[in-house]
Amino acid sequence: MSLSFHSRCLLVLFCFIGFGFDFGQAFKVPFTVKDVLPVLPRQISWPVLNNFHSAVDLLPYFVGSVTPNNESIEWKGACFYGNEARLEFTEGDRDDTGLGGGVLYLKTSEAHSWTCMDLYVFATPYRITWDYYFSAREHTLEFDSWEEPAELEYVKQHGISVFLMPSGMMGTLFSLIDVLPLFSNTVWGQNANLGFLEKHMGATFEKRPKPWLATINPEDVHSGDFLAVSKIRGRWGGFETLEKWVTGAFAGHTAVCLKDEIGNLWVGESGHENERVISVMSMWSRVQPAYAANMWNEALNKRLGTEGLDLYGILAETERRGLAFDQLLSIPEQDEWVYSDGKSTTCVAFILQMYKEAGIFSFLSNSIQVTEFTIRDAYMLQIFENNQTRLPNWCNNGDGRLPFCQILGEYWMELPQYNTIKPYANMNENCPSLPPSYDRPVRC
């Protein structure tokens, strides 16, 4: 759609004001392009906002912890380049508890424009709150009373964690706009998933020639054949897209082929589903205590060798042992651990445990914990057929285009680094997974 003369003039004007010119000295502009884009005509604002903001902007940036013992902390914000915060205890509004409360003083200065604002999240393991600031002055955030003595002790020792939403209020909202369509079971939702994966992971979606469904000969399928599944539409498609983005996997689910004693073919599957970490976990513990206990409290107890501790007991025990919380999280999961609902069996761990029992990892079996593997880790294992001439005739791989069989799908399947890494002891126990490159150190 072409832009009107009025829109073109606005764009030129805002580019002039927002980016400025060098007149020998710097001057403070009244607003920048990023500040005013949301109120511009859609034909101008949306293409530019799509470049400025993404799902990554939903991730808060940890500024630091404010304790009553340190004088203050200072940092540079997205809007205000000069910020400092300090914390003071107060008597509180629950006199009978004797816990008191606190006031966090946050001073903002050096705004880069007249219309920007900064959005913050403040957290302890017992609460999460937020606030936004668009004026340069000292602001206050009051904590009327600490939830319980444990929170008071935590704040005394560790303070209140401060997180900055790096894209501010509007950036965060537009980042949500980038994510919410992923869960729509429509063509619009499918296109949103395709666009998200192309933008954030560098995926390519090239259409395959029809037919999009291969006619399988069950005699060519064997027990243990690995199935990688990728869904790009609907609620599960949205969850899979975010899971792919977080882990670097180009598939969202896995299953395995199994044959019974009379040759019937079956498909087996399982599931389809630091301080900054502590605060999120704590909030969920308050909302869903039973689910939280199963979700991570048991896992953390396993790592400590304890039983029955809730999150706050785990924090106390971790501190008593002189461990940082991120050190506790980094302790590898052990395949033999049994939880209240059984062993930990993600879709991919379920399959790799079968491979482990079948001897595929040979003498390395005792030194590989399959519960540490992601879907990406699994398909990168060098354990699959590498001779394409041995693939079945019905294998729709585009005359050798793919090193594996694609059974169905409108687009060609991508599995970067498929079948490339030989198994080794303690595999994947210390591997990072950071978008967009997902760099993997050798033998991590």
Side-chain angles (χ1 to χ4, degrees), residues 105-116:
Y105 297 90
L106 196 155
K107 184 178 180 181
T108 57
S109 62
E110 302 175 39
H112 72 74
S113 77
W114 295 346
T115 57
C116 64

Side-chain angles (χ1 to χ4, degrees), residues 146-427:
W146 307 116
E147 291 292 328
E148 52 189 85
E151 182 179 26
L152 174 60
E153 289 304 313
Y154 181 90
V155 173
K156 284 181 179 179
Q157 296 185 41
H158 304 287
I160 295 171
S161 299
V162 181
F163 301 85
L164 169 71
M165 302 304 291
S167 288
M169 181 74 78
M170 295 309 301
T172 303
L173 291 176
F174 275 91
S175 298
L176 284 171
I177 292 174
D178 193 27
V179 169
L180 293 179
L182 304 179
F183 300 90
S184 173
N185 190 24
T186 62
V187 174
W188 174 59
Q190 176 174 314
N191 290 335
N193 280 280
L194 297 179
F196 185 98
L197 294 171
E198 289 173 340
K199 179 179 179 181
H200 298 293
M201 294 184 66
T204 59
F205 292 94
E206 185 179 342
K207 284 199 173 184
R208 301 167 63 212
K210 291 185 177 180
W212 293 338
L213 175 63
T215 302
I216 299 173
N217 182 353
E219 294 182 0
D220 295 326
V221 181
H222 307 282
S223 286
D225 282 352
F226 186 88
L227 297 175
V229 183
S230 183
K231 188 173 176 62
I232 54 174
R233 183 165 170 169
R235 183 181 65 173
W236 285 116
F239 281 119
E240 282 193 12
T241 291
L242 294 178
E243 180 185 3
K244 292 169 188 173
W245 172 56
V246 170
T247 64
F250 277 59
H253 187 50
T254 56
V256 64
C257 296
L258 298 169
K259 281 189 173 180
D260 60 25
E261 62 277 3
I262 61 174
N264 291 324
L265 179 61
W266 301 82
V267 173
E269 61 178 338
S270 174
H272 199 123
E273 313 200 1
N274 299 309
E275 291 176 1
R276 62 201 82 178
V277 176
I278 297 173
S279 298
V280 174
M281 293 169 66
S282 170
M283 192 64 178
W284 190 254
S285 296
R286 295 280 168 172
V287 177
Q288 293 282 1
Y291 187 68
N294 179 263
M295 189 173 181
W296 50 63
N297 287 357
E298 279 193 85
L300 296 177
N301 272 285
K302 293 287 186 186
R303 283 158 172 77
L304 286 171
T306 55
E307 291 185 7
L309 296 180
D310 62 11
L311 180 59
Y312 312 107
I314 290 168
L315 290 174
E317 179 63 18
T318 302
E319 185 168 343
R320 187 186 69 80
R321 298 187 187 187
L323 284 174
F325 192 71
D326 57 351
Q327 289 178 292
L328 178 63
L329 293 176
S330 66
I331 296 175
E333 181 83 9
Q334 301 297 304
D335 292 347
E336 66 269 16
W337 285 347
V338 179
Y339 294 89
S340 58
D341 59 350
K343 287 192 173 184
S344 175
T345 50
T346 62
C347 63
V348 72
F350 172 72
I351 299 168
L352 294 180
Q353 188 64 44
M354 286 187 184
Y355 291 174
K356 189 174 178 179
E357 294 296 326
I360 289 179
F361 296 117
S362 186
F363 65 93
L364 294 171
S365 291
N366 292 333
S367 57
I368 287 182
Q369 306 299 328
V370 299
T371 44
E372 287 291 313
F373 282 61
T374 66
I375 293 175
R376 177 180 183 239
D377 298 328
Y379 66 64
M380 289 169 65
L381 280 169
Q382 196 177 86
I383 59 174
F384 302 104
E385 178 61 67
N386 58 7
N387 185 349
Q388 294 190 38
T389 63
R390 299 180 62 183
L391 296 178
N393 292 330
W394 51 262
C395 185
N396 194 354
N397 69 352
D399 296 326
R401 171 178 180 144
L402 300 177
F404 48 80
C405 295
Q406 182 163 347
I407 298 173
L408 57 85
E410 182 179 353
Y411 302 95
W412 288 110
M413 189 89 169
E414 292 180 274
L415 297 177
Q417 296 179 283
Y418 167 80
N419 202 26
T420 57
I421 302 179
K422 292 182 179 180
Y424 56 86
N426 306 116
M427 189 173 188

Side-chain angles (χ1 to χ4, degrees), residues 59-76:
L59 303 178
Y61 170 74
F62 179 64
V63 168
S65 294
V66 188
T67 69
N69 299 324
N70 60 7
E71 293 183 359
S72 65
I73 61 171
E74 299 180 0
W75 69 93
K76 180 179 179 180

Side-chain angles (χ1 to χ4, degrees), residues 27-46:
F27 67 95
K28 181 178 176 180
V29 296
F31 45 77
T32 66
V33 172
K34 292 174 68 174
D35 298 328
V36 299
L37 276 172
V39 299
L40 293 181
R42 180 180 59 82
Q43 300 96 321
I44 297 175
S45 61
W46 281 65

Side-chain angles (χ1 to χ4, degrees), residues 65-73 84-92 99-106 138-146 152 155-156 159-160:
S65 294
V66 188
T67 69
N69 299 324
N70 60 7
E71 293 183 359
S72 65
I73 61 171
E84 59 180 284
R86 57 188 174 87
L87 177 66
E88 293 182 0
F89 283 135
T90 62
E91 292 184 358
L99 294 178
V103 178
L104 188 146
Y105 297 90
L106 196 155
E138 185 171 73
H139 309 269
T140 59
L141 180 67
E142 296 186 4
F143 298 86
D144 295 332
S145 181
W146 307 116
L152 174 60
V155 173
K156 284 181 179 179
I160 295 171

